[in-house]
Amino acid sequence: MPTSIASQYGPAPDDFEPGGPLIVTRDEALAEHLLRLCAAAGTEPQLSGAPPPRRLWESAPLVLVGDDLSERCSGLARRAGVLLLGLDLDDCEIWVRGIQLGAEQVLFLPDAQAWLLDRIADAMEGVGPPAMTVAVLGGRGGAGASTLACALAVTGARAGHRTMLIDADPLGGGLDVMLGGEQVAGLRWPDLAGSRGRVSGSELAKALPVLHSLTALSWDRSDSLVIPAEAMRSVLAAARRRGGLVVLDLPRHLDAAASQALEQADTGLLVIPAELRAMAAAGRVTAAARMRLTDLRAVVRLPGPVGLRSEEVARGVGLRLAGELVHEPGLTVDVERGMPPGLRSRGPLARFCAAYLDEVMPPAVIEGGTTS
């Protein structure tokens, strides 16, 4: 943080290299408030007491303009990420000045400080569209939900999507084991169970194990079996802010944390073996899950013992059919040897995952700005 506010009230230097937000104001009370918010977000801003040079105005990740200088800045180039800050809620003319400035938002402090803190942190993380978040559940025990969740994440990473796999089932044995990475260093759920408020998405990703080009949040081998709902909310929100793909492996019995995760999901897959008892159990899971997620689809595992067709199973539980999973020889042996599901790109499991992700995911942005 700048050590002297008064010393920053001249124009910003031409050679300043932007890193944090640009604050443009001569209002000392407003400047103090904005500097404190930037410090809370872990970033050091540049404070300018005059309209800044064009290069700085256009390159700063976020521009916070005090209303006292809004008219002097209104001639600068239009750009995204300009916020107009005021202190007088009764000043109706500020909305006109906001339009003239081309501001993205008009905010009043201190009322909007919580929203602004998040916006500053988002700008520092380079936040874009939220991740496509896919929840995977089993219609009955041993249905293969963890296998599908792992394969979706492996397939997404192979396709070039920034991918995070989150294991929300404390009794599932740990997806890091399925990925062959139980010995890889990194945080597990017990390390994050105390998370509250905003968690940095980039710092979260750096702290987790990286396995097969994806980041994975799983369980350790301790007796800890509970994720507080608030911790799930904070961690999953951080994962989603990074963009790309987030895959959730959820338990059938939705505790508070799993319910919170399901509410943040965009779409869900319920894995159902083609069996009558599995259909009955899946009906109960469906009823609970659809209270929190509208887009829930059935994935039917074949073959069944009596020849039930996939369409019959999906119709029986009242879900849209997403596809079928047929038996894949060697899959169990692969997992025991540390080869995760989905690694065989030509196998039926990987083909289903690729087709499904092609449907729900936007194209992956790869280095150089092109799409895959």
Side-chain angles (χ1 to χ4, degrees):
M1 180 185 298
T3 56
S4 171
I5 295 176
S7 68
Q8 299 294 318
Y9 277 160
D14 289 331
D15 61 351
F16 174 72
E17 291 297 329
L22 170 63
I23 299 173
V24 185
T25 185
R26 293 189 65 85
D27 186 315
E28 188 163 353
L30 179 60
E32 288 272 16
H33 206 136
L34 294 175
L35 289 172
R36 285 196 297 269
L37 288 176
C38 288
T43 184
E44 182 174 340
Q46 170 69 22
L47 178 59
S48 178
R54 175 180 175 180
R55 183 182 66 84
L56 178 55
W57 172 268
E58 294 180 352
S59 60
L62 185 69
V63 181
L64 309 175
V65 180
D67 190 34
D68 59 307
L69 292 182
S70 61
E71 292 182 343
R72 292 181 60 187
C73 292
S74 61
L76 296 173
R78 293 291 192 265
R79 52 152 290 174
V82 175
L83 307 180
L84 177 57
L85 283 302
L87 297 171
D88 184 2
L89 287 168
D90 296 324
D91 181 8
C92 297
E93 293 299 318
I94 192 173
W95 301 100
V96 176
R97 295 190 291 275
I99 293 173
Q100 293 170 342
L101 180 64
E104 178 182 300
Q105 296 277 352
V106 175
L107 305 174
F108 295 94
L109 296 177
D111 297 45
Q113 67 178 12
W115 185 93
L116 182 56
L117 178 60
D118 276 350
R119 185 67 177 84
I120 293 170
D122 284 348
M124 295 307 97
E125 288 191 45
V127 172
M132 170 59 64
T133 303
V134 181
V136 185
L137 306 93
R140 66 153 170 80
S146 295
T147 298
L148 177 57
C150 188
L152 281 169
V154 169
T155 303
R158 183 168 54 237
H161 299 290
R162 175 184 286 172
T163 303
M164 184 177 292
L165 175 62
I166 297 180
D167 182 359
D169 185 356
L171 299 178
L175 288 187
D176 57 347
V177 176
M178 188 170 285
L179 288 164
E182 63 270 24
Q183 300 299 322
V184 177
L187 298 185
R188 265 64 172 183
W189 264 122
D191 303 305
L192 295 168
S195 300
R196 299 290 187 275
R198 185 186 179 92
V199 174
S200 166
S202 57
E203 292 303 315
L204 174 66
K206 291 177 184 176
L208 296 179
V210 178
L211 306 166
H212 302 281
S213 301
L214 61 94
T215 51
L217 175 54
S218 187
W219 294 84
D220 61 12
R221 314 283 85 81
S222 71
D223 295 333
S224 178
L225 297 175
V226 177
I227 311 169
E230 189 172 352
M232 176 61 77
R233 182 184 304 112
S234 297
V235 169
L236 183 50
R240 284 172 53 80
R241 283 196 300 273
R242 296 181 67 245
L245 172 66
V246 172
V247 181
L248 301 166
D249 180 25
L250 301 182
R252 291 185 300 124
H253 300 288
L254 298 174
D255 58 14
S259 296
Q260 174 57 226
L262 201 57
E263 289 173 3
Q264 291 197 49
D266 298 300
T267 185
L269 297 173
L270 182 64
V271 184
I272 312 169
E275 307 164 0
L276 290 175
R277 288 189 64 195
M279 287 177 60
R284 290 190 287 271
V285 178
T286 299
R290 292 190 74 172
M291 293 175 63
R292 299 167 177 85
L293 177 64
T294 302
D295 185 13
L296 183 65
R297 314 179 193 184
V299 180
V300 180
R301 206 181 75 193
L302 298 174
V306 296
L308 282 174
R309 293 183 295 111
S310 299
E311 294 80 3
E312 294 174 318
V313 175
R315 187 167 56 249
V317 296
L319 294 178
R320 170 185 170 190
L321 180 63
E324 301 172 344
L325 294 179
V326 299
H327 176 67
E328 184 168 333
L331 181 60
T332 302
V333 174
D334 284 349
V335 172
E336 291 295 320
R337 292 175 175 172
M339 295 176 58
L343 199 61
R344 296 178 183 270
S345 61
R346 297 185 180 181
L349 180 58
R351 290 201 304 271
F352 166 81
C353 292
Y356 175 73
L357 292 178
D358 282 346
E359 178 185 351
V360 301
M361 289 289 297
V365 178
I366 58 179
E367 192 172 350
T370 59
T371 57
S372 62

